[in-house]
Amino acid sequence: MIIPVKLKKKEDRSYKIIVEDGLIDRIPSLLNYGVRYAVIADSKVGKLYGQKLVKRLGKKAKLFTFPHGERSKNLFTVEALCKKMLKENFDRHDCIIALGGGVTGDIAGFVSSIYMRGIPYVQVPTSLLAMVDSSVGGKTGVDMEEGKNLLGTFLQPKAVYIDPLLLKTLPKKHFVNGMAEVVKYGCIKSKSLFRYISKNYEKILTLEPKPLNKIIVQSCKIKRDIVEKDEHEKLGLRMCLNFGHTIGHAIEKLTDYTILHGEAVAIGMVQMCRDKRLTELLKKIGLPTKIPKGIKKSHILEVIKKDKKKKGKKIMHVLVKKIGKAILK
Ligand SMILES: NC(=O)c1ccc[n+]([C@@H]2O[C@H](COP(=O)([O-])OP(=O)(O)OC[C@H]3O[C@@H](n4cnc5c(N)ncnc54)[C@H](O)[C@@H]3O)[C@@H](O)[C@H]2O)c1
Ligand SMILES: [Zn+2]
C-alpha cells in the first residue's frame, strides 16, 4: 500500500509512505537519496535489524547506535552521533536512515536537519507508535532537562518505509502503548476505524497481518490528511492530534515519565470523552483508564496551567463528544 503525502510550498517536498510486510528487505532497492547511508538506530534495534540492513546496503552504509530509551533523546546523543558521522566522512551528499521507534526517529530527524546544514533522511519505523504517528509529519527533536521535545525542527523525510512484520519483536507493553494513538485517530476522525478496532482488537493484539496492516494504513492516512492541511500546526487542525495529550503530558510529568506516553494519553482521552465505549475499548486493549493513585485532579490542573502560561497560550481543549469527531474548545 502506497500513501502519498503532498506538500508543496517553496519546493516539492512530497513523499511516499509505503506499508508492506517484509519491506525491510526491499529497502536497498528503493533508496536513491544519497551516495552513502548513515543508519541510526538504538542499541536494541541496531542489534535486531540494523546490522542486517547495513549488510544488505553494502559498503555505502554504516550503522550508528546509541543507548535505547527516552533518556537518550538529548543533545549529547545528537553530538555523539554527529561526531561519529564526521569521523566516517559523511557529508551533504549522503542520507540518514532513522531505523527505530519514535526516540530514534526524533533524534535522527533532528541530526538530519542540522548536520552540515541539513541532509536528507528516510524513516524506517519499528515500533507501533512510530509507524502510526511519529514517523509521519516531519516533527523532529530532543528533550532538555527542563522538559520534553523543547528543541526541534520541522523536516519532512524523503520517504517512510513501514514493515509491520518488524512488530513481532516489539515488547507487548510497547505495542499496547502505540495502540493508544490508533484509538485516538478513531476518536478524533474516524468512527469506522474505532468500530473496526473494537471488533478486531484481539486479532490486532496477536499481530494478525490483515487487521494490523489495516489499522496502520488508516492511521497514517488520517495523520497524512491533517499534516497536508496544517503542516506547521498553525490552523488548529493539527491540534486535534493532541486529543488526550494535555492531561496525558501532565500525568507523564507527575509520574516522572515512569508511565508510557500512550498509557498517559489513554487516561487523558477518557477524561475528555464521555463515551463509555472508549473506556471499554481501552481496557480490552490493556491500557489504563484511571488517573494513577496518588495523583489528584488538582495536581494535573496545576501542571497544565503552568505549562500553558509559560508558552503564553490560552488553554485549548480537544473534546470528543461523539466518536469520530473532535472539537476544539
Ligand atoms: N515526532 C513526532 O511527531 C512524535 C509523535 C509522537 C511521539 N514522538 C516521540 O516518540 C517517542 C516514543 O516513541 P516509542 O514509543 O517508539 O519509543 P522508543 O523509540 O524508545 O521505542 C520503545 C522501545 O521499543 C524498542 N523497539 C522499537 N522497535 C522495536 C522492535 N521492532 N523490536 C524490539 N524492540 C523494539 C526500543 O529499543 C525501545 O526500547 C517519544 O520520545 C515521543 O516524544 C514523536
Ligand atoms: Zn502522542
Side-chain angles (χ1 to χ4, degrees):
M1 166 66 77
I2 297 179
I3 306 162
V5 183
K6 295 203 181 91
L7 299 161
K8 284 248 163 75
K9 293 188 189 155
K10 278 183 207 144
E11 53 185 309
D12 193 354
R13 295 167 299 121
S14 303
Y15 59 95
K16 287 183 187 127
I17 304 166
I18 306 181
V19 186
E20 190 183 300
D21 283 344
L23 184 62
I24 192 145
D25 293 333
R26 266 198 336 114
I27 288 178
S29 67
L30 296 171
L31 290 170
N32 64 343
Y33 307 108
V35 180
R36 295 169 71 213
Y37 291 92
V39 179
I40 297 184
D42 72 20
S43 45
K44 265 172 99 180
V45 175
K47 271 196 202 117
L48 282 167
Y49 304 107
Q51 289 162 353
K52 197 172 153 202
L53 179 61
V54 164
K55 229 180 186 171
R56 275 179 184 272
L57 286 163
K59 268 193 213 135
K60 57 183 182 195
K62 274 256 167 328
L63 178 63
F64 300 95
T65 58
F66 62 87
H68 75 95
E70 183 75 31
R71 278 177 195 280
S72 285
K73 212 177 106 174
N74 57 44
L75 278 181
F76 294 105
T77 306
V78 169
E79 190 182 13
L81 288 167
C82 290
K83 278 188 184 235
K84 286 189 213 167
M85 284 172 58
L86 285 170
K87 214 170 159 197
E88 295 291 340
N89 298 315
F90 275 86
D91 66 25
R92 250 195 252 168
H93 302 99
D94 303 322
C95 175
I96 287 176
I97 299 177
L99 174 70
V103 167
T104 304
D106 281 10
I107 295 175
F110 190 63
V111 170
S112 302
S113 42
I114 57 170
Y115 189 76
M116 298 198 171
R117 298 206 169 83
I119 68 170
Y121 78 114
V122 301
Q123 289 271 16
V124 184
T126 64
S127 70
L128 182 62
L129 184 132
M131 290 182 188
V132 300
D133 190 356
S134 60
S135 69
V136 179
K139 277 192 186 174
T140 86
V142 292
D143 305 333
M144 289 178 73
E145 252 169 51
E146 286 80 354
K148 270 191 66 158
N149 299 324
L150 291 179
L151 301 174
T153 60
F154 281 101
L155 179 71
Q156 298 294 339
K158 293 288 172 199
V160 182
Y161 301 131
I162 302 179
D163 181 351
L165 291 184
L166 304 186
L167 295 172
K168 285 197 171 149
T169 52
L170 183 73
K172 176 93 185 270
K173 191 174 164 72
H174 284 288
F175 184 86
V176 167
N177 179 51
M179 279 305 293
E181 303 286 359
V182 182
V183 172
K184 174 192 82 179
Y185 291 124
C187 290
I188 61 169
K189 270 272 171 272
S190 169
K191 199 164 136 190
S192 68
L193 174 60
F194 187 90
R195 276 211 208 106
Y196 187 83
I197 310 167
S198 307
K199 222 172 140 198
N200 295 285
Y201 70 94
E202 278 164 323
K203 292 178 185 165
I204 296 167
L205 290 174
T206 54
L207 309 187
E208 219 176 270
K210 211 175 144 198
L212 182 59
N213 283 32
K214 178 156 175 150
I215 57 150
I216 294 172
V217 167
Q218 290 303 108
S219 301
C220 286
K221 281 185 176 166
I222 293 172
K223 181 142 185 196
R224 184 268 320 263
D225 289 348
I226 293 173
V227 170
E228 277 183 351
K229 288 191 194 114
D230 185 18
E231 189 182 349
H232 297 118
E233 220 165 78
K234 285 190 175 140
L235 307 175
L237 270 170
R238 202 167 172 164
M239 245 178 94
C240 290
L241 295 169
N242 288 339
F243 171 52
H245 280 57
T246 309
I247 291 177
H249 285 149
I251 293 174
E252 282 183 274
K253 218 174 206 176
L254 287 165
T255 56
D256 207 13
Y257 298 95
T258 51
I259 190 166
L260 289 179
H261 173 73
E263 294 170 340
V265 167
I267 299 166
M269 289 194 291
V270 170
Q271 294 295 320
M272 304 310 275
C273 171
R274 291 286 158 229
D275 197 315
K276 273 203 316 261
R277 287 174 298 177
L278 173 61
T279 315
E280 278 165 25
L281 178 58
L282 293 171
K283 276 187 188 159
K284 282 180 194 159
I285 291 171
L287 282 159
T289 53
K290 288 197 179 122
I291 297 170
K293 282 200 183 101
I295 295 180
K296 286 195 187 131
K297 275 195 180 170
S298 58
H299 295 154
I300 295 175
L301 268 175
E302 249 170 61
V303 174
I304 294 173
K305 272 192 198 149
K306 239 193 207 161
D307 260 20
K308 299 283 170 184
K309 216 165 143 191
K310 251 194 240 161
K311 290 177 192 157
K313 276 187 195 161
K314 238 176 56 185
I315 301 182
M316 290 284 275
H317 297 292
V318 187
L319 293 173
V320 169
K321 286 193 178 154
K322 260 169 93 185
I323 299 279
K325 196 164 169 33
I327 48 169
L328 288 176
K329 226 173 177 181

